[in-house]
Amino acid sequence: MNHLKKIAEKLPEYGLDAMLITSESGEFYAVGFHGEGVVLVTKEKCWYATDSRYIEAAGAIEGVELLQLSAAKSYRQMVAELVSERGIKCLGFEEERMSVREYTAWTEEVPAQFLPASELLTELRMVKDEEELAAMAEAQRITDEAFTEILDFIKPGLTESEVAARLTYIMARKGAMRNSFDPIVACGANGSKPHAIPGSSVISAGQFVTMDFGCVVGGYCSDMTRTVAVGEPSEEMRLVYDTVLKAQKAGIAKAKAGVTGREVHMAAADVIAAAGYGDYFGHGFGHSLGVEIHEDPRFSPAWDKPIPAGATLSAEPGIYLPGRFGVRIEDVVVLREGGCTDITNSPKELIIL
């Protein structure tokens, strides 16, 4: 799976003779390979330069000429030679992924005008093709199965860290390449911290346990959050849970191609505010994901641009009561004309263990 052709087709739109890709995520999106190197894309030809550790495996990449790094020639020198040979004048680069020091080194050695072009890749990555969606669906299948299995594991006396480790093990056993991110497992009062770090806190009866986790398959991420009760929850815990679920359903119902992130976010936020918990939902309704766990576009009050069909985003409202408990429920949806497809299959009604 690579996207060299799509990148090449975009060059004229951005006034570029070539695109230089140096970031890890950009490299994978372009050539479908996890290594260390740089990619140069022109309308006529593409090159991938890497070192001896990856050169053999990189032989499977289609549509590129491979170049091997050596002690005598750096990546910058390789690109400089190609720029000179090909008469490349305007060279796009990932300004959002390059440090000032790196930019200075590249511009000093490569005889071309460097034009900021991170948006070229960002725009392409917003819309997932069928191969990308298939990888994400498989990652989500593993994540769903891990949730089903972890329900039989959770019990009073276990620590958050033990549950997080078990989730990682289950997903790896089922075929995941790695976690999408370090799992979040938060019990009791820790649940009021959206990005709590699993620790030595012990799960007790009468608590909520929030689990936010995902895995990578084929280079693409899944992401899911579920909150479960261990023992009977209080009336307020049930109310908060039901409110979050209603908010999530309202946001998902609003999600379709052409909608703005703000519209989707507000559909959910209005439900939470009407229930009296508006001050306790402080983040956006969701974010895109793919090669990376956080990408654009966003279901956010700040995203006022239409979101295209094929964009794949999380739907994850939450209510967080400081020092008491929190609830978050998260699915991943693919925007379509007239609606969306939810690729998360785990149950969302309150589960009491």
Side-chain angles (χ1 to χ4, degrees):
M1 186 194 316
N2 72 48
H3 297 92
L4 293 168
K5 184 178 180 181
K6 288 184 178 180
I7 296 168
E9 289 172 349
K10 278 280 186 183
L11 295 176
E13 182 180 328
Y14 284 82
L16 302 175
D17 298 318
M19 181 72 193
L20 174 67
I21 301 169
T22 55
S23 71
E24 181 180 350
S25 60
E27 171 194 349
F28 180 81
Y29 179 77
V31 298
F33 180 74
H34 281 297
E36 291 181 22
V38 299
V39 182
L40 184 68
V41 181
T42 69
K43 293 189 291 291
E44 298 81 22
K45 192 171 180 178
C46 306
W47 294 264
Y48 178 56
T50 188
D51 62 44
S52 60
R53 295 171 298 168
Y54 302 102
I55 197 71
E56 182 178 357
I61 301 173
E62 297 180 357
V64 298
E65 179 180 329
L66 286 179
L67 302 173
Q68 184 171 335
L69 182 70
S70 69
K73 190 178 294 185
S74 68
Y75 289 132
R76 293 188 294 275
Q77 289 170 322
M78 289 179 180
V79 172
E81 288 181 2
L82 290 171
V83 163
S84 297
E85 291 170 5
R86 295 278 166 166
I88 294 169
K89 303 299 182 185
C90 298
L91 180 62
F93 76 104
E94 299 172 276
E95 80 281 2
E96 295 178 359
R97 306 300 183 109
M98 189 177 284
S99 69
V100 173
R101 181 176 182 178
E102 290 168 336
Y103 173 77
T104 301
W106 276 101
T107 54
E108 285 179 349
E109 292 191 46
V110 178
Q113 180 184 7
F114 278 66
L115 299 177
S118 286
E119 188 178 346
L120 185 154
L121 293 180
T122 300
E123 184 179 344
L124 286 173
R125 287 171 59 180
M126 283 187 187
V127 178
K128 271 50 179 188
D129 59 33
E130 291 307 314
E131 280 190 290
E132 292 174 296
L133 290 174
M136 294 180 74
E138 177 62 12
Q140 186 55 51
R141 183 191 65 79
I142 291 172
T143 307
D144 283 326
E145 289 186 2
F147 176 67
T148 299
E149 193 167 321
I150 203 69
L151 295 178
D152 291 329
F153 179 76
I154 296 172
K155 61 183 178 181
L158 291 175
T159 65
E160 296 166 333
S161 291
E162 287 176 297
V163 175
R166 186 72 178 184
L167 283 168
T168 295
Y169 164 71
I170 294 169
M171 290 187 291
R173 178 167 52 78
K174 290 181 177 292
M177 296 170 62
R178 60 181 182 278
N179 291 335
S180 300
F181 52 93
D182 291 339
I184 296 167
V185 177
C187 66
N190 291 336
S192 69
K193 305 165 191 171
H195 277 193
I197 297 172
S200 58
S201 294
V202 176
I203 296 170
S204 302
Q207 290 183 334
F208 274 144
V209 178
T210 296
M211 296 168 285
D212 187 343
F213 59 103
C215 67
V216 176
V217 172
Y220 284 80
C221 298
S222 65
D223 193 2
M224 183 176 83
T225 306
R226 289 293 185 267
T227 301
V228 300
V230 178
E232 282 297 319
S234 67
E235 285 190 21
E236 185 177 22
M237 290 167 71
R238 286 181 179 273
L239 172 62
V240 168
Y241 190 95
D242 289 344
T243 301
V244 172
L245 182 55
K246 288 176 184 177
Q248 196 213 31
K249 288 179 177 179
I252 290 174
K254 192 74 173 179
K256 62 181 179 180
V259 75
T260 67
R262 176 177 176 78
E263 290 175 279
V264 175
H265 174 87
M266 292 311 300
D270 287 347
V271 171
I272 292 174
Y277 292 101
D279 291 340
Y280 303 102
F281 175 35
H283 57 72
F285 181 75
H287 57 86
S288 184
L289 62 156
V291 173
E292 295 176 288
I293 193 60
H294 291 111
E295 298 183 352
D296 286 335
R298 312 268 172 157
F299 287 146
S300 159
W303 195 276
D304 58 3
K305 296 171 285 188
I307 299 177
T312 304
L313 298 94
S314 66
E316 51 175 310
I319 293 175
Y320 311 95
L321 305 180
R324 298 180 62 202
F325 63 88
V327 173
R328 183 167 64 256
I329 305 169
E330 177 186 20
D331 290 9
V332 170
V333 298
V334 183
L335 269 60
R336 309 291 191 186
E337 299 295 339
C340 66
T341 302
D342 191 333
I343 65 171
T344 308
N345 293 307
S346 293
K348 291 188 283 190
E349 299 302 325
L350 178 59
I351 293 173
I352 301 173
L353 302 177

